[in-house]
Amino acid sequence: MSGIPITLRSCSKTFDDGTVALQPLDLSIAAGETIVLLGPSGCGKTTTLRIVAGLEEPDAGGQVWFDGTDVTPVPIEKRNVGMVFQSYALFPNMTVEGNVEYGLRVRGMPAGERDARVREMLAMMRIEPLARRRIDQLSGGQRQRVALARAIAPRPRVLLLDEPLTALDAKLREDLRVEIDRLLRSLAITTVYVTHDQAEAMALGDRIAVMAHGRIAQIGTPQDIYFAPADAFVADFIGTMNRVRGEVIDGTLRFGAGWLPLADGHAGEDAMFRPEDLKLVDQGSAQFRGRVVSSFFLGDHTRLVIDVGGESMLIARVQQRERLHAGDLVHCAVEPGAVMALRPVAN
Ligand code: ATP
């Protein structure tokens, strides 16, 4: 199995009731690449996925290309895509192997070949012992493994996953996320993965398209998006971001509690940095100081909420064994390279 490149050209979508779900959207996905569509509810992720699948037509003028062929008028059953949804859409009364076999039977694959393929898929998803169970006798995580096995059994050219882990509890979600990652790497199939969970997006995406209001706000590798967010919306959506407002004087940002270093050419009076870049230092090397409002020991790190007297509290992610308490005075510093200037949100 190997993937094909996919291109969306100017795909917009306005539904009959006048809802504009997508602004004209261009997206190129490389063969074998995993693209994650990430964004808040209603931003157009599922609509984009359904357009790729052929379940939804783009408005006039929009085009979908698979491997150099315009498939815009081609219905889903002729596009050779595998799909997995949040709700399993499996046949509840059929066995696991019956479900995985179903699509192969519909495609007219001979019985012997079908059996071999079903075995291969059950082994790949590590569910061979469940082969004879009925779907309604399985846990949520097991059902999603069956749904994945069923989706990839016909060796589709494209795999489309819409919030496949959302219905599962946290531990199971993480296990299956690792499993999906392994599967996507070994199949090298072109994949579009929809989620509103940023950890899932960072873990699975070769690139992430962060969507807002029917547009792609930014597309890039997880590192691009995290370390160089295009605007304040993306910065806030991925991880936590501290913001400080002040006055730019001599290349530093002066604010009530002290100052922050700024990169050359930093424009505007807003500076932002990630919680892991706020360091606790001794008084002599401090840029600013504040009072601990709360301290949460989380095992591998401690999350501090620090009041520096500004509009909002700052968050620090620190690793230290000594316990801090509400009311403690802390001295803080941020490396110049970690301080970002961000464009305001365009919309
Ligand atoms: P979620 O995470 O909640 O599934 P999403 O980002 O996938 O959200 P879409 O399902 O693509 O968002 O929906 C985008 C917008 O289009 C929303 O405002 C939604 O209400 C609207 N929409 C989706 N399907 C239809 C439809 N069939 N008719 C009218 N409006 C629709």
Side-chain angles (χ1 to χ4, degrees):
M1 223 180 290
S2 70
I4 52 158
I6 298 175
T7 305
L8 302 187
R9 283 194 197 145
S10 201
C11 284
S12 61
K13 183 71 193 177
T14 303
F15 286 102
D16 293 343
D17 65 359
T19 305
V20 179
L22 280 187
Q23 306 287 342
L25 182 138
D26 294 299
L27 178 63
S28 288
I29 310 172
E33 187 180 28
T34 299
I35 284 276
V36 175
L37 306 179
L38 174 70
S41 184
C43 69
K45 307 180 294 291
T46 297
T47 303
T48 307
L49 191 82
R50 288 171 60 84
I51 287 176
V52 175
L55 287 166
E56 208 77 74
E57 251 188 282
D59 296 343
Q63 294 179 345
V64 181
W65 291 72
F66 278 13
D67 198 14
T69 307
D70 182 356
V71 296
T72 317
V74 177
I76 180 163
E77 62 276 12
K78 301 242 169 72
R79 286 195 190 185
N80 197 6
V81 296
M83 286 196 81
V84 177
F85 306 95
Q86 176 181 347
S87 60
Y88 319 104
L90 296 166
F91 303 111
N93 300 318
M94 265 161 59
T95 61
V96 167
E97 56 189 4
N99 268 275
V100 177
E101 190 190 16
Y102 180 81
L104 305 175
R105 191 192 294 270
V106 170
R107 284 170 173 76
M109 185 186 279
E113 208 180 316
R114 249 174 18 225
D115 276 355
R117 184 73 62 83
V118 170
R119 297 293 129 225
E120 185 195 340
M121 292 303 128
L122 298 187
M124 193 176 262
M125 291 316 301
R126 307 181 208 248
I127 46 175
E128 298 115 305
L130 305 176
R132 298 283 158 84
R133 290 250 202 116
R134 285 205 329 260
I135 298 301
D136 53 15
Q137 298 168 324
L138 301 180
S139 71
Q142 291 168 335
R143 287 180 202 205
Q144 274 317 47
R145 285 170 191 261
V146 178
L148 281 161
R150 186 177 67 170
I152 59 177
R155 305 210 162 130
R157 300 188 296 171
V158 176
L159 187 58
L160 305 175
L161 305 166
D162 194 352
E163 305 262 7
L165 307 182
T166 301
L168 308 176
D169 67 48
K171 176 73 175 78
L172 206 52
R173 217 158 51 213
E174 190 159 337
D175 291 348
L176 211 50
R177 189 168 82 197
V178 171
E179 202 78 349
I180 290 179
D181 183 52
R182 184 183 61 82
L183 187 72
L184 297 181
R185 305 288 145 222
S186 68
L187 297 177
I189 187 173
T190 312
T191 304
V192 185
Y193 189 108
V194 165
T195 184
H196 62 266
D197 180 319
Q198 50 130 335
E200 231 167 275
M202 305 281 271
L204 293 174
D206 292 315
R207 284 187 300 157
I208 299 172
V210 182
M211 296 185 67
H213 310 298
R215 288 198 183 86
I216 294 178
Q218 185 174 9
I219 183 163
T221 63
Q223 288 78 3
D224 290 340
I225 304 257
Y226 191 81
F227 293 117
D231 63 26
F233 169 79
V234 175
D236 282 335
F237 199 76
I238 302 271
T240 305
M241 192 62 99
N242 287 309
R243 287 163 193 246
V244 173
R245 279 187 78 83
E247 203 183 339
V248 180
I249 302 173
D250 294 338
T252 63
L253 188 80
R254 305 294 168 96
F255 65 107
W259 60 278
L260 274 175
L262 297 179
D264 287 347
H266 183 113
E269 292 163 347
D270 271 310
M272 312 202 184
F273 54 90
R274 298 287 184 190
E276 61 271 28
D277 292 320
L278 194 167
K279 308 287 185 214
L280 300 187
V281 296
D282 35 285
Q283 191 165 358
S285 33
Q287 294 157 356
F288 57 94
R289 59 189 212 165
R291 295 256 170 217
V292 173
V293 174
S294 50
S295 160
F296 303 98
F297 176 62
L298 296 168
D300 59 345
H301 73 277
T302 298
R303 189 177 174 86
L304 298 176
V305 181
I306 301 172
D307 185 358
V308 293
E311 289 160 32
S312 52
M313 307 280 172
L314 299 184
I315 308 290
R317 182 190 167 100
V318 298
Q319 260 145 352
Q320 62 169 41
R321 297 200 163 233
E322 174 198 338
R323 181 100 202 257
L324 286 161
H325 300 277
D328 286 352
L329 181 66
V330 285
H331 295 94
C332 312
V334 184
E335 290 287 324
V339 179
M340 303 177 228
L342 289 177
R343 294 199 309 267
V345 182
N347 291 296

